[in-house]
Amino acid sequence: MAAIEHNAEIPAQPSRRKTLGTPHLLFFVVAAAAPVGFVLSAVPLAIGRGGIGTVGAFIVTAVVLLLFAVGFVAMAQRVQRVGGLYEFVVEGIGRVPGVGAAYVAVATYALAAIGATGAFAVFADIASQDLLGFEVPWIVWALGVAALMGVFGILRIEANAKILGAIIVVEIAMLLVVACVIVWQGGAEGPSIAPWQPKEVFGGHSGAMFAVTFAAFAGFEATAIYSNEVKNKRSIARATYLVIVALAALYSFVTWALITAYGNIGAVSAAATDPTTMFFTATQTYVGTWAVKVFEVLIVASWFASILAFHNATARYLATMGSNGMAPKWLNTTRQKSGTPWKASVSHTALTFVVIAAFAFFNGDPYLDLYILGSTPAIIGIPLLELLAGIAIICYFYRRTPSRTRTVVLVTSGLAAACLAAVIAAIIANIELFTARTGAANVIVSALMFLLFLGGMAWALLRRDHTTPHSADPRSSPDQHNQESS
């Protein structure tokens, strides 16, 4: 033990500090979803392409994810190891597909964080020009937020949660203020229940609509990644259910208010004509210029919160993969003071710098190229990861002794897996909605996560004796092994 006390770095599972509770997990997941950024940019796309049924689509999406959450929570209680959903795949299906799922997971979160730096740079530049009167090259903003991400990434995880929590509280408060004012004033034609009607939700363009609404919940499954850092394992279950219900209620209400501001027909027309200004125009009309100015700042903060949340998830995936032989072992190094996987964090930060510099060197657009092309694969990666986990949960519980829990999990996970498969198909069919491109770019973006999954499995087969996800002894956790070896 003396050696450990004098070393600044120790090879261990990422962060054994039991400091996180349910609110902290909520902050990380909601931050990843970037509520303000999503409402201002993605919700108008869903309305313009799918219709006013987007309001009800959020509720349907939440129901599907709650079905998935039943098995997710049950599995999390039995597989209490760092690694998130890919550990579920290892336990339910096997080591080889588990390795494939691990590469999908780490690529999904890493790309989501890197891509979001482009969106941050664009909105930060807009805010600085409008509020401060000066313009800064986008690469300065992008590299700046990447550096800030790296700094926060090696700090204590509870410090990150406090920063994210403050941003999220203000984000949600402002969204609710605008929505309530619009509804109170009656909008263009008065509040309508039509957006909740089944014919609107499941109409002819529902595929595009659901492709967007499922993206709204991106990262909710990340609660399991922090299983080694929570004070109480029940926090994962509470946070999972709460975040799905809370996001569904928030997005559905705010979207309904936005449609109310324009009227049912007017909202679709406005969203199809100029989706980027739809929310700002409604805010200006019903609340005032001051609220628009606040949102110009909030959308920048929202993207930073999203970047930081995805970065923290990426670092923990990399560290766990290092401990399991799926990545270099040195990634699985934590610093005693903060308990964070700092080498994994620094590695992702360095990769982010390289990608940003490459896009700038080739004159790429920060939004259309860095953000869109960088983060769109994650929109497929997250439901694909959930689908794999759903299948693994079914396999895992099918082998268990018949019980009421087993029956409930099998039914709910089966329904969720079928819906998730349909969602992935809908996203791929409407991929141009996210990429704003046609042709080969869409094929590459659509295929990337599937290729990573197959590549990970192939790599696991070639290195059968070297990749060792913790499936040998389901009763023990990696953290326990490290403490014993220490």
Side-chain angles (χ1 to χ4, degrees):
M1 293 299 295
I4 293 178
E5 292 171 358
H6 292 290
N7 285 339
E9 304 166 7
I10 55 174
Q13 277 296 311
S15 183
R16 291 197 296 263
R17 296 172 57 85
K18 309 292 185 179
T19 56
L20 301 182
T22 302
H24 300 111
L25 294 178
L26 287 172
F27 293 153
F28 282 115
V29 176
V30 176
V36 166
F38 186 85
V39 169
L40 271 61
S41 58
V43 166
L45 287 177
I47 296 172
R49 292 292 296 270
I52 61 174
T54 302
V55 175
F58 280 115
I59 305 301
V60 175
T61 300
V63 170
V64 173
L65 294 179
L66 286 171
L67 289 173
F68 172 80
V70 173
F72 172 85
V73 169
M75 194 74 166
Q77 292 171 347
R78 290 161 175 80
V79 183
Q80 297 183 353
R81 295 190 299 270
V82 179
L85 295 187
Y86 88 73
E87 287 282 11
F88 293 6
V89 178
V90 171
E91 287 292 336
I93 307 177
R95 182 187 64 87
V96 172
V99 173
Y103 281 94
V104 170
V106 74
T108 292
Y109 291 105
L111 289 174
I114 293 172
T117 61
F120 175 92
V122 170
F123 288 107
D125 188 46
I126 291 173
S128 66
Q129 289 186 57
D130 190 34
L131 301 177
L132 303 176
F134 65 85
E135 182 177 0
V136 176
W138 74 264
I139 191 173
V140 175
W141 288 115
L143 293 176
V145 75
L148 197 59
M149 172 190 80
V151 171
F152 278 97
I154 61 176
L155 296 178
R156 291 183 178 181
I157 193 68
E158 60 269 30
N160 281 242
K162 290 177 181 178
I163 297 295
L164 297 178
I167 294 173
I168 290 162
V169 168
V170 179
E171 279 190 67
I172 293 175
M174 279 302 299
L175 286 173
L176 290 176
V177 165
V178 172
C180 288
V181 170
I182 292 173
V183 173
W184 177 262
Q185 294 184 19
E189 302 169 353
S192 168
I193 63 170
W196 277 285
Q197 292 178 350
K199 67 177 183 179
E200 298 291 347
V201 177
F202 300 101
H205 301 284
S206 60
M209 191 164 54
F210 280 110
V212 175
T213 58
F214 267 86
F217 295 82
F220 88 90
E221 75 294 330
T223 50
I225 300 173
Y226 301 97
S227 61
N228 206 32
E229 299 170 72
V230 294
K231 292 179 286 188
N232 188 330
K233 295 297 183 182
R234 286 177 293 181
S235 296
I236 294 175
R238 295 192 195 107
T240 300
Y241 287 121
L242 282 173
V243 76
I244 295 172
V245 173
L247 285 177
L250 175 67
Y251 286 135
S252 187
F253 177 65
V254 173
T255 303
W256 178 60
L258 182 60
I259 292 170
T260 300
Y262 290 87
N264 293 338
I265 298 176
V268 176
S269 176
T273 303
D274 193 357
T276 59
T277 63
M278 184 181 184
F279 189 87
F280 284 112
T281 300
T283 301
Q284 175 74 48
T285 302
Y286 291 93
V287 183
T289 303
W290 71 269
V292 174
K293 302 296 184 184
V294 170
F295 274 113
E296 287 183 351
V297 176
L298 275 181
I299 194 170
V300 177
S302 180
W303 282 117
F304 170 68
S306 181
I307 291 167
L308 185 56
F310 280 121
H311 171 72
N312 280 318
T314 302
R316 279 149 184 80
Y317 267 122
L318 285 172
T320 307
M321 290 170 68
S323 73
N324 292 345
M326 292 182 283
K329 290 183 179 180
W330 53 263
L331 288 170
N332 182 37
T333 305
T334 60
R335 191 174 290 277
Q336 283 185 313
K337 285 187 177 180
S338 62
T340 55
W342 76 274
K343 286 189 177 180
S345 174
V346 170
S347 297
H348 180 240
T349 301
L351 176 63
T352 304
F353 277 117
V354 171
V355 173
I356 291 171
F359 273 90
F361 180 79
F362 289 104
N363 295 317
D365 184 89
Y367 194 88
L368 296 177
D369 297 320
L370 179 56
Y371 170 58
I372 296 297
L373 292 182
S375 61
T376 297
I379 296 173
I380 297 174
I382 288 177
L384 175 59
L385 193 61
E386 292 167 355
L387 174 60
L388 292 170
I391 295 171
I393 291 168
I394 293 170
C395 295
Y396 180 88
F397 279 92
Y398 182 77
R399 298 192 296 265
R400 295 299 178 267
T401 302
S403 65
R404 184 176 179 180
T405 298
R406 174 179 178 266
T407 301
V408 171
V409 169
L410 289 176
V411 171
T412 55
S413 297
L415 291 172
C419 292
L420 286 167
V423 168
I424 294 171
I427 293 173
I428 294 174
N430 294 276
I431 196 68
E432 74 280 356
L433 176 65
F434 300 98
T435 65
R437 287 171 167 82
T438 59
N442 289 338
V443 175
I444 295 171
V445 168
S446 299
L448 180 60
M449 289 301 167
F450 297 97
L451 293 175
L452 279 172
F453 177 64
L454 295 175
M457 290 198 298
W459 189 83
L461 287 170
L462 291 173
R463 294 175 57 87
R464 185 176 295 275
D465 298 329
H466 300 279
T467 54
T468 56
H470 300 99
S471 57
D473 185 2
R475 297 167 297 178
S476 62
S477 69
D479 190 45
Q480 290 172 327
H481 290 307
N482 284 321
Q483 290 180 16
E484 291 167 3
S485 64
S486 300

